[in-house]
Amino acid sequence: MWQQNRIVGTGLFALDVILGADSRRLGSALGGSTGNVLSILGSLGWAATPVANFGQDSAGERICNELQAIGADLRFVDFSSSQRTNVIYQHQLAPQSSSSPTHRFSFSCPCCGKKHYPVVECDDRIVNKALQGQSKTDVFYLDRPTKAGYELAKSYYESGALVVFE
């Protein structure tokens, strides 16, 4: 009998906004290191469970919609009115040569220039909820050395999961 693989992850989730070389918005999608890993594996049939805090904003709603589309378990996702969901701007660069960079990333709004530093630490409430409601997982993924990430990694490791840190 086939058993579905499971991944739980915490760290950087963001809405990636892709901008052309002329700064025109080309699209947006779930991103951030942890968002990418869970999205890819979820799309390949893995059961994906994010442990994250998002802002009560359109970027947070969009990320959740994309996670829902891959069937992610969202019971360890929380929304906060005092937090802004991460947005990363990916600027496509005009080609200079075959060895020149093709894009760059920024946390600064291309319209107003305001820089928003990424939020990657989960609050204690959602971490405790994840620890108490922990289900067996094959892989636990984290991309930042945070207190929350460490606590979750230790607990999942002790329950037999492979811990992957980027």
Side-chain angles (χ1 to χ4, degrees):
M1 181 174 177
W2 178 75
Q3 180 181 339
Q4 185 178 34
N5 291 316
R6 175 174 298 281
I7 183 167
V8 175
T10 195
L12 183 59
F13 289 89
L15 181 65
D16 282 350
V17 177
I18 302 161
L19 303 170
D22 60 358
S23 297
R24 187 174 35 95
R25 184 179 172 149
L26 301 176
S28 61
L30 170 61
S33 306
T34 305
N36 288 336
V37 169
L38 268 61
S39 176
I40 291 165
L41 291 176
S43 296
L44 293 173
W46 284 52
T49 305
V51 180
N53 293 99
F54 300 136
Q56 290 178 338
D57 50 33
S58 60
E61 184 179 323
R62 172 76 187 276
I63 289 172
C64 278
N65 288 341
E66 290 198 31
L67 287 166
Q68 285 175 330
I70 60 162
D73 174 356
L74 300 179
R75 65 190 154 134
F76 305 133
V77 171
D78 197 23
F79 292 91
S80 170
S81 60
S82 64
Q83 181 175 317
R84 179 185 173 276
T85 301
N86 296 317
V87 177
I88 299 174
Y89 299 96
Q90 179 179 321
H91 301 265
Q92 302 301 308
L93 302 175
Q96 304 294 319
S97 70
S98 61
S99 63
S100 66
T102 59
H103 61 277
R104 68 176 178 82
F105 296 99
S106 171
F107 285 98
S108 297
C109 175
C111 298
C112 70
K114 183 174 182 184
K115 185 168 188 167
H116 297 278
Y117 293 94
V119 177
V120 295
E121 182 84 49
C122 295
D123 65 32
D124 289 342
R125 193 178 65 73
I126 198 71
V127 171
N128 289 334
K129 184 177 178 182
L131 290 170
Q132 292 170 4
Q134 178 176 327
S135 56
K136 176 124 175 67
T137 191
D138 299 292
V139 176
F140 176 76
Y141 177 88
L142 68 157
D143 63 2
R144 301 290 190 276
T146 63
K147 179 183 173 219
Y150 171 77
E151 289 177 20
L152 291 164
K154 182 176 184 239
S155 181
Y156 277 107
Y157 175 77
E158 289 171 351
S159 70
L162 171 68
V163 174
V164 177
F165 173 72
E166 177 193 14

